[in-house]
Amino acid sequence: MGEAIAERDRFLTANYARQPVVFARGEGARLWDAEGTEYLDLQTGLAVNSVGHCHPAVVAAIREQAGSLIHVGNLFYTDPMVALSARLAGVSGLGEGTRVFFTNSGTEAVEAALKCARKRRRAGTIVSVHRGFHGRTYGALSATPQESKQAPFAPLVPGFVAVEPTAEAITAAVDAGTAAVILEPVQGESGVYDLGPEVLRAAREACDRHGAALIFDEIQCGLGRTGDLWGWQASGVVPDAMTVAKALAGGLPIGALVAGPAMADVFEPGDHGSTFAGGPVQCAAGLAVLDVVCDEALLAGVREQGERLTARLAELPGVVEVRGRGYMQAIELARVDALALVGRALSEQRLVLNATGPSTLRLLPPLIIEPADLDEAVDRLAALLT
Ligand SMILES: *Cc1c(COP(=O)(O)O)cnc(C)c1O
């Protein structure tokens, strides 16, 4: 096994800590490796496979669209692109006049949001918060105040300010020179921290007071992950724009800046663009995904099962804290090497998980998981921790 893995690594850049598993097939909440061993997936390609692996409606939409047109570019229209923009604007909750700019990834959606905010308030600063994660390209990285991610790539983009994710700190940081505040309503990559309604409300008020744009990064917490379509919904605080990506096209690369009326008309011809973005195959897949996740019964199930999940996780041996809601949760473990645990979960329990820190496991089950499978997954986790 070790030798075979070393051989596989030979021509791949060594920037990922990959587990020694070769996956070959997926269906719903299950994955199979090349030897045919079955796994339960509570990691979902990092919050991407929300409708499960190879959802039949997504597969059918991709097959059908790929057979008629794969790419034509952004100097023309395609029906899937137009339909997905209308559908996203409609379900965004951002109001009349909302427009969508498509990208190929989350970080590019963030870049679009930052450029849009900067054009709206020239040379304005961007305020982000600690533990936030917005992507790896330079603008998004500059809004991601994590030493380990930023330091090797300095100097970063000027004009970014990082503060604690508290109402007071955000209020104090925003002034007439602020272009935007960018936040994840539920911070994902750093280990699932729900910022809560007070922080979001303070950010909204500070932005309103000074005419800055409020951008919510919904790339991970959006599209039903928390049991609401958007992570901000429970707070009632509406942003000026959102970034969406990960789960949007069921596994195909896509992202979007969904800009409400305050930001929708900032970009003009020539301001920004992307060759592949808004391609018909991705957008057809996106429409199929929205058909599944924009379903009140599905979302209510995620909320209910999410509460059950929180309660069960809290009782597992060695768990000192459970964070998050819906199907976006993390557990904090006492005295455990979480990375080693992820490896053991795979090899001993056939359970796919991920660690966001030395003692933190993150659980991102597919929204369509059967309650019995979720129970089974928690049983396997219990066996691992016992
Ligand atoms: C994953 C993620 C990104 C970056 O998305 P990529 O598609 O990896 O570029 C940005 N923001 C949040 C909140 C994310 O979880």
Side-chain angles (χ1 to χ4, degrees):
M1 187 72 156
E3 225 167 83
I5 292 294
E7 192 55 32
R8 287 195 180 94
D9 274 336
R10 215 170 130 197
F11 299 108
L12 290 167
T13 303
N15 61 313
Y16 295 106
R18 291 181 210 273
Q19 296 292 339
V21 181
V22 180
F23 282 120
R25 193 163 71 80
E27 190 185 314
R30 292 185 159 70
L31 281 164
W32 287 267
D33 66 17
E35 276 94 49
T37 305
E38 184 182 304
Y39 297 75
L40 268 174
D41 186 6
L42 294 197
Q43 195 255 37
T44 50
L46 297 174
V48 168
N49 302 105
S50 282
V51 300
H53 292 281
C54 297
H55 189 287
V58 175
V59 172
I62 292 171
R63 284 200 169 125
E64 193 185 327
Q65 184 57 46
S68 46
L69 186 67
I70 295 176
H71 176 81
V72 67
N74 277 301
L75 303 181
F76 306 95
Y77 300 95
T78 66
D79 285 342
M81 165 209 285
V82 173
L84 186 61
S85 69
R87 193 78 198 282
L88 262 181
V91 299
S92 70
L94 302 191
E96 197 61 39
T98 296
R99 292 180 190 273
V100 175
F101 175 84
F102 286 116
T103 68
N104 311 292
S105 65
T107 199
E108 289 169 81
V110 171
E111 295 296 326
L114 299 175
K115 285 180 76 174
C116 187
R118 274 267 172 85
K119 194 187 173 211
R120 186 172 166 273
R121 178 164 279 171
R122 297 292 165 98
T125 54
I126 308 287
V127 175
S128 68
V129 298
H130 291 291
R131 289 194 319 243
F133 179 82
H134 301 290
R136 307 280 193 159
T137 53
Y138 263 101
L141 180 64
S142 302
T144 297
Q146 298 181 32
E147 177 75 11
S148 64
K149 294 188 173 68
Q150 289 187 336
F153 305 104
L156 301 175
V157 180
F160 285 70
V161 178
V163 299
E164 287 303 312
T166 63
E168 303 75 50
I170 294 167
T171 303
V174 178
D175 60 27
T178 306
V181 173
I182 183 165
L183 303 169
E184 297 156 86
V186 184
Q187 297 178 312
E189 193 263 355
S190 62
V192 188
Y193 292 88
D194 192 343
L195 292 187
E198 267 145 64
V199 170
L200 302 190
R201 215 171 295 130
R204 177 73 276 174
E205 284 166 13
C207 287
D208 286 345
R209 205 171 307 127
H210 298 288
L214 180 61
I215 300 162
F216 285 166
D217 184 342
E218 291 272 343
I219 289 168
Q220 187 166 149
C221 67
L223 293 171
R225 188 52 44 208
T226 62
D228 292 316
L229 191 58
W230 307 114
W232 56 262
Q233 260 173 313
S235 73
V237 177
V238 183
D240 296 308
M242 314 189 263
T243 51
V244 183
K246 291 203 161 92
L248 180 56
L252 291 189
I254 194 170
L257 168 63
V258 184
M263 295 180 82
D265 298 313
V266 172
F267 283 149
E268 297 164 291
D271 275 344
H272 198 31
S274 169
T275 299
F276 291 121
V281 181
Q282 302 89 293
C283 289
L287 286 164
V289 167
L290 288 184
D291 282 343
V292 178
V293 301
C294 297
D295 172 355
E296 194 32 55
L298 178 93
L299 297 174
V302 171
R303 289 194 297 272
E304 271 161 42
Q305 294 302 317
E307 278 173 31
R308 251 170 52 79
L309 178 62
T310 305
R312 284 207 65 197
L313 292 174
E315 281 170 5
L316 296 183
V319 170
V320 293
E321 189 186 1
V322 185
R323 292 187 297 267
R325 52 195 157 97
Y327 284 177
M328 182 174 183
Q329 301 203 21
I331 55 178
E332 207 61 53
L333 299 161
R335 303 184 310 277
V336 176
D337 176 353
L339 205 58
L341 206 61
V342 166
R344 282 183 47 219
L346 273 173
S347 61
E348 294 171 18
Q349 297 295 330
R350 311 299 180 197
L351 188 60
V352 187
L353 293 168
N354 119 288
T356 59
S359 60
T360 313
L361 289 181
R362 177 172 46 174
L363 288 79
L364 301 163
L367 308 187
I368 51 81
I369 194 170
E370 294 292 339
D373 285 339
L374 193 54
D375 275 337
E376 167 67 22
V378 179
D379 288 345
R380 293 186 195 183
L381 192 54
L384 193 71
L385 294 172
T386 300

